[in-house]
Amino acid sequence: VNDDDAVNVQDIVLIVGYILDGGELDLECADANGDGTVNVQDIVVIVNQILGGRTTSDATEATLNIANGIASLEANGFVGAVQMTLSHESDFSIELTNKAMVADYRINGNSTTLIIVAPESNELFTASDDFTVEDVIVANANGMVDFLETPTEFTLSKAYPNPFNPSTTLEVSVPVEGYVSISVYNVMGQLVDMIHSGNLTIATHEFTWNASSLTSGMYFVRAESASGTSIQKIMLMK
């Protein structure tokens, strides 16, 4: 890309600058995957060329966690690059991780675009103030990585199936890591089972409850954490 007859991090820096600022670039060389556009996926192709025979498998899914102004990305394998767009107030500032092949950003009024190439740790950046994530691209050599949205509130999904016999499945969305209890009560208000009791990470967690030892009837599932409480009615029909 910089016409020095070598593929290295200097080429990546040029492409990152082009994505963030625009300007002139050897688009034929920069379009590493040959799809007619220059974007973060081209950066990933070049990263793979530079790293050569790495042993870490590519990520297939990733989750963004935000707590106390710190954004971190949990993935189940290697992430080639992350591109994000944030919206915020005018006095916003940001500090990107220094554990990456390349990390750069541009602030334009109330919007910030950032690119982090081959991050070596989960932590991506620290922000000075509140922000909203408008767009996220997580990519590797195989294309886009499935991005799982971070929960913003504590919720208990509708059990499925319902009515059920003898098992039903539900999901709990946890916006803040901490203690969560998921319990089941009968119509008399008596505790009949504990589905989960313990810490859960920031994510959406799935649980299956087997009620084969109980009699048919109506029950109540109660999910509780420091973020709130959610209750729903379920029906066991044998």
Side-chain angles (χ1 to χ4, degrees), residues 7 26 45 47 49 52 77 106 120 124 142 166 169 180 203-204 209 211 215 218 230 232 236-237:
V7 177
D26 186 335
V45 172
V47 167
Q49 291 178 1
R106 296 291 185 274
E120 299 174 7
L124 299 180
N142 295 315
T169 299
V180 176
T204 298
W209 182 51
T215 58
M218 184 184 301
S230 183
Q232 72 166 286
L236 172 62
M237 297 181 65

Side-chain angles (χ1 to χ4, degrees), residues 11-12 29 37 43 51 55 62 71-72 84 88-89 94 117-118 122 125 151-152 169 178 186 190 204 218 224:
D11 301 298
I12 294 175
C29 290
T37 59
I43 292 174
L51 296 181
T55 57
S72 59
M84 297 176 61
H88 46 72
E89 297 298 325
I94 190 171
V117 180
N122 289 349
F125 64 83
T152 58
T169 299
N186 60 21
Q190 300 168 316
T204 298
M218 184 184 301
E224 186 172 9

Side-chain angles (χ1 to χ4, degrees), residues 106-139:
R106 296 291 185 274
I107 296 179
N108 184 12
N110 298 101
S111 178
T112 293
T113 301
L114 63 93
I115 296 175
I116 299 174
V117 180
E120 299 174 7
S121 66
N122 289 349
E123 186 174 315
L124 299 180
F125 64 83
T126 302
S128 64
D129 209 342
D130 293 338
F131 60 89
T132 300
V133 178
E134 300 294 346
D135 187 47
V136 181
I137 298 173
V138 183

Side-chain angles (χ1 to χ4, degrees), residues 25-237:
L25 189 72
D26 186 335
L27 298 181
E28 184 176 352
C29 290
D31 183 15
N33 66 354
D35 66 355
T37 59
V38 175
N39 54 33
V40 73
Q41 288 182 287
D42 299 300
I43 292 174
V44 172
V45 172
I46 297 175
V47 167
N48 275 11
Q49 291 178 1
I50 295 171
L51 296 181
R54 61 178 174 81
T55 57
T56 307
S57 60
D58 284 333
T60 58
E61 60 180 45
T63 302
L64 180 67
N65 297 322
I66 300 171
N68 301 318
I70 300 174
S72 59
L73 188 76
E74 295 185 8
N76 62 351
F78 176 76
V79 171
V82 180
Q83 180 175 329
M84 297 176 61
T85 301
L86 315 176
S87 60
H88 46 72
E89 297 298 325
S90 57
D91 57 350
F92 180 80
S93 64
I94 190 171
E95 182 177 350
L96 302 186
T97 178
N98 58 8
K99 296 181 179 179
M101 184 177 290
V102 177
D104 203 357
Y105 70 94
R106 296 291 185 274
I107 296 179
N108 184 12
N110 298 101
S111 178
T112 293
T113 301
L114 63 93
I115 296 175
I116 299 174
V117 180
E120 299 174 7
S121 66
N122 289 349
E123 186 174 315
L124 299 180
F125 64 83
T126 302
S128 64
D129 209 342
D130 293 338
F131 60 89
T132 300
V133 178
E134 300 294 346
D135 187 47
V136 181
I137 298 173
V138 183
N140 59 34
N142 295 315
M144 301 298 183
V145 177
D146 289 338
F147 181 71
L148 310 177
E149 294 287 347
T150 303
T152 58
E153 60 181 336
F154 183 74
T155 59
L156 175 66
S157 72
K158 292 183 179 180
Y160 182 83
N162 186 26
F164 67 99
N165 178 31
S167 297
T168 189
T169 299
L170 48 85
E171 293 181 342
V172 175
S173 295
V174 181
V176 179
E177 181 174 351
Y179 178 81
V180 176
S181 66
I182 308 172
S183 47
V184 184
Y185 296 83
N186 60 21
V187 293
M188 301 296 292
Q190 300 168 316
L191 177 67
V192 296
D193 202 359
M194 181 68 73
I195 299 175
H196 175 82
S197 178
N199 270 29
L200 289 178
T201 58
I202 301 173
T204 298
H205 303 266
E206 182 177 279
F207 297 91
T208 298
W209 182 51
N210 188 312
S212 57
S213 62
L214 298 174
T215 58
S216 297
M218 184 184 301
Y219 295 88
F220 296 90
V221 179
R222 177 187 176 95
E224 186 172 9
S225 77
S227 302
T229 301
S230 183
I231 301 174
Q232 72 166 286
K233 178 172 63 177
I234 56 176
M235 180 69 71
L236 172 62
M237 297 181 65

